[in-house]
Amino acid sequence: KESSAASDVYKRQVGSPAARAGGAAVSAWLWGTLAAVLLCWATGAYNRLVRLRAAVSGGFASVAETSQRLSGVVHAALDLEAAAAARVSDAALQSDEARQAEPGGPATLSAEAQLLRGALMQYVAALAVVQSRPLSNEAVGAFNAAQALLLEVWAGREQSVLPAPGGPADTLLDDGLGAGYQVLASQWQQAQAQHRLTTEKFNDLVHGYNEAVRQFPAVIMAWAASFRPVPLVELPKALTTPISSL
């Protein structure tokens, strides 16, 4: 009887309004604590992603700077090409046959030079776009394609103008291009070495950001806040040559 009476008293106490209120308070405290922890984590994860994304966006400035150095070398090469074309045009106008003909138009660049100019124009345009949108898949993709094209065209023109490694120097073109391209080839090697380093540093930032975006549970925050992986700036084969061999 005493045991039964104690049980009844316990049930009345547990089932009393005060007991239920106490249990609700504990439950509310637990949920509140959990919500506070989640809020702190979400805020920290969001701020970290913002910092990493800002570092990637700002880090492209060094890539753009060395890209402009590459394009500057190509601009100088096109000036050489234009001067060579003008000399050829002047020589043609001085011929007996040309004196009797109608005056011609401006000197025309060679087909190789025109191809180089077209590749440069595409590269400069793609660089201008990606500078304003370094996190865009489309902009980075277009820049990668333009960069690969420019390097390929430059390598082809350089090989056609300069003598083969170890070959005689008298194989240089006699229209002034050879000597000029020899100087520009050295500048190009220096510019591409610097460009390779800045690109690698930028890609390191991209790797860090992309890992944070894909890491669980931060990937949930990234998806909710529209943080997306960023593409890498590709290093064409010409830019993967060790600096010591340039």
Side-chain angles (χ1 to χ4, degrees), residues 150-174:
L150 179 64
L151 268 64
E152 179 182 356
V153 174
W154 170 267
R157 185 54 176 155
E158 189 180 59
Q159 291 174 3
S160 68
V161 173
L162 297 179
D170 57 7
T171 59
L172 287 173
L173 296 182
D174 58 2

Side-chain angles (χ1 to χ4, degrees), residues 193 196 241-246:
R196 182 175 70 86
T241 305
I243 295 177
S244 59
S245 66
L246 294 177

Side-chain angles (χ1 to χ4, degrees), residues 195-205 235 239:
H195 185 59
R196 182 175 70 86
L197 289 177
T198 57
T199 300
E200 288 177 345
K201 291 180 179 179
F202 172 76
N203 284 343
D204 286 341
L205 295 174
L235 284 170
L239 292 182

Side-chain angles (χ1 to χ4, degrees), residues 3-246:
S3 175
S4 178
S7 178
D8 292 340
V9 171
Y10 174 77
K11 290 179 180 180
R12 285 195 299 270
Q13 290 177 345
V14 172
S16 65
R20 288 195 298 271
V26 171
S27 179
W29 179 84
L30 289 175
W31 282 109
T33 301
L34 179 60
V37 171
L38 289 175
L39 179 60
C40 290
W41 170 83
T43 301
Y46 178 83
N47 290 338
R48 179 169 179 260
L49 291 175
V50 168
R51 288 195 302 270
L52 291 174
R53 186 170 63 180
V56 171
S57 183
F60 192 82
S62 59
V63 178
E65 180 180 353
T66 53
S67 297
Q68 290 167 353
R69 292 177 186 174
L70 287 175
S71 64
V73 175
V74 181
H75 272 297
L78 290 174
D79 289 341
L80 285 177
E81 299 277 3
R87 286 192 295 270
V88 172
S89 178
D90 290 342
L93 288 174
Q94 293 174 4
S95 65
D96 292 337
E97 184 177 2
R99 291 193 186 99
Q100 301 173 3
E102 293 288 335
T108 303
L109 291 175
S110 65
E112 295 86 353
Q114 292 183 31
L115 183 61
L116 184 61
R117 182 174 62 182
L120 177 62
M121 292 174 62
Q122 181 178 339
Y123 182 71
V124 171
L127 177 60
V129 174
V130 77
Q131 277 186 279
S132 62
R133 295 188 295 156
L135 307 179
S136 166
N137 285 280
E138 294 78 10
V140 175
F143 175 73
N144 287 336
Q147 177 174 251
L149 175 63
L150 179 64
L151 268 64
E152 179 182 356
V153 174
W154 170 267
R157 185 54 176 155
E158 189 180 59
Q159 291 174 3
S160 68
V161 173
L162 297 179
D170 57 7
T171 59
L172 287 173
L173 296 182
D174 58 2
D175 56 6
L177 281 177
Y181 263 91
Q182 278 189 320
V183 175
L184 293 178
S186 177
Q187 297 177 3
W188 176 267
Q189 290 178 350
Q190 295 175 4
Q192 78 170 18
Q194 295 171 344
H195 185 59
R196 182 175 70 86
L197 289 177
T198 57
T199 300
E200 288 177 345
K201 291 180 179 179
F202 172 76
N203 284 343
D204 286 341
L205 295 174
V206 174
H207 279 302
Y209 168 75
N210 287 346
E211 289 177 1
V213 168
R214 297 187 177 104
Q215 187 178 14
F216 185 83
V219 65
I220 301 174
M221 170 58 66
W223 177 82
S226 298
F227 288 95
R228 298 293 181 265
V230 175
L232 298 172
V233 172
E234 295 178 0
L235 284 170
K237 185 177 181 180
L239 292 182
T240 58
T241 305
I243 295 177
S244 59
S245 66
L246 294 177

